[in-house]
Amino acid sequence: MLELDSESHSNQASETGAQAGTAAVQNDNEPASSREGVRDRNGKMSGGTAKKSRGAKPKPHESKLYDNLVPAYQALWPAVARRRIQHNLNSLNIAAGTKVLEVGVGTGLSLDAYPEHANVTGVDLSESMLAEAEELIEQRGWKHVSVQPMNAEELTFEDASFDLVTSFHTISVVSHPDRMMRELVRVCRPGGKILVINHFRSPNPLIARVVDSAGSLTRHLGWRTDLNVDELLNELPIQVIRCQKSNPLSLFRVLIAERKA
């Protein structure tokens, strides 16, 4: 149902920042009410923060970057990533009726990049961000989009449920990126496409060491800088169509793959 655009991709300006949407694994020892928030009588979400013991290493979804800085995220994220997401989704020529899953949808700031003739489902673990996404969906009157809370490492969808599976700047904030990647592949139908945009560890040893030096800081904020794309894709039933930066100075790579039968 999807075709890749054969036209060459234009270069984009160097961009910095990282996706503040989160789909990280939950702490099973936490009370459900503290990590999931509540829904009102219309089923909409509100609240929901995760508590942790003093001195414990924060999990990605516990970072203040997610629940306390949603306004800043909404202000900065479009400038950081929206153009790249729109460009690469357009290149896929998404056909009418395509079933799309976006993992780590956050506040929904990428949702307007999908054509209205597709059927889009967004999932995320952060209830506070999903509440923002639901409000956006209602404001825009989108009938083709829905969102729901879900753990990216344990998607509850059946195998081969979607024609296109996407994730933008999320896989480096989950606790087990390899599990998340396996789930993205599992729920994609054979012949379907997977689009992931994220920062991956540079193959250049010098650049990798420089970026790795910031790892102790970025881990406290909720994301990692040492994710190796080759290790992530190892032994998965996919064919990589493209995995490259939009331009040499960009921090992020675009991965497009097709699920094998």
Side-chain angles (χ1 to χ4, degrees), residues 3 11 20 35 41 48 51 57 103-104 136 142 150 153 163 173 191 200 202 205 207 213 220 234 253:
E3 296 179 357
N11 286 340
R35 66 175 183 258
R41 66 182 63 184
K51 297 180 180 179
K57 181 179 179 180
V103 179
L136 178 64
W142 287 332
M150 195 174 297
E153 298 177 12
D163 305 304
V173 304
F200 295 107
S202 174
I207 296 176
S213 66
H220 283 291
N234 187 37
R253 271 189 267 180

Side-chain angles (χ1 to χ4, degrees), residues 135-222:
E135 183 176 347
L136 178 64
I137 291 168
E138 183 176 351
Q139 289 176 350
R140 300 290 180 87
W142 287 332
K143 304 300 182 183
H144 65 296
V145 180
S146 64
V147 296
Q148 58 184 291
M150 195 174 297
N151 185 343
E153 298 177 12
E154 298 177 1
L155 300 176
T156 59
F157 303 110
E158 298 290 333
D159 295 355
S161 295
F162 297 92
D163 305 304
L164 171 63
V165 181
T166 68
S167 185
F168 308 122
H169 306 277
T170 297
I171 200 163
S172 54
V173 304
V174 300
S175 298
H176 302 93
D178 56 334
R179 293 182 189 175
M180 175 177 163
M181 193 67 208
R182 287 198 297 269
E183 285 293 272
L184 299 187
V185 174
R186 180 184 67 79
V187 300
C188 184
R189 67 167 176 83
K193 298 294 189 302
I194 299 166
L195 169 61
V196 174
I197 301 177
N198 205 83
H199 168 77
F200 295 107
R201 195 172 192 267
S202 174
N204 183 309
L206 178 59
I207 296 176
R209 285 196 297 271
V210 172
V211 176
D212 287 350
S213 66
S216 59
L217 172 62
T218 60
R219 279 192 294 272
H220 283 291
L221 294 176

Side-chain angles (χ1 to χ4, degrees), residues 59-128:
K59 292 183 180 295
H61 66 286
E62 295 171 349
S63 171
K64 293 181 179 180
L65 190 66
Y66 304 131
D67 286 328
N68 296 344
L69 297 183
V70 169
Y73 163 54
Q74 290 176 313
L76 295 174
W77 180 236
V80 171
R82 176 171 287 172
R83 183 173 60 174
R84 184 189 302 109
I85 291 171
Q86 179 77 64
H87 176 78
N88 285 282
L89 284 173
N90 288 345
S91 77
L92 295 177
N93 294 328
I94 299 174
T98 296
K99 294 182 64 177
V100 181
L101 172 67
E102 181 177 328
V103 179
V105 70
T107 61
L109 293 180
S110 59
L111 291 176
D112 62 356
Y114 297 98
E116 293 191 5
H117 58 244
N119 299 312
V120 182
T121 301
V123 300
D124 201 289
L125 193 61
S126 171
E127 294 277 6
S128 57

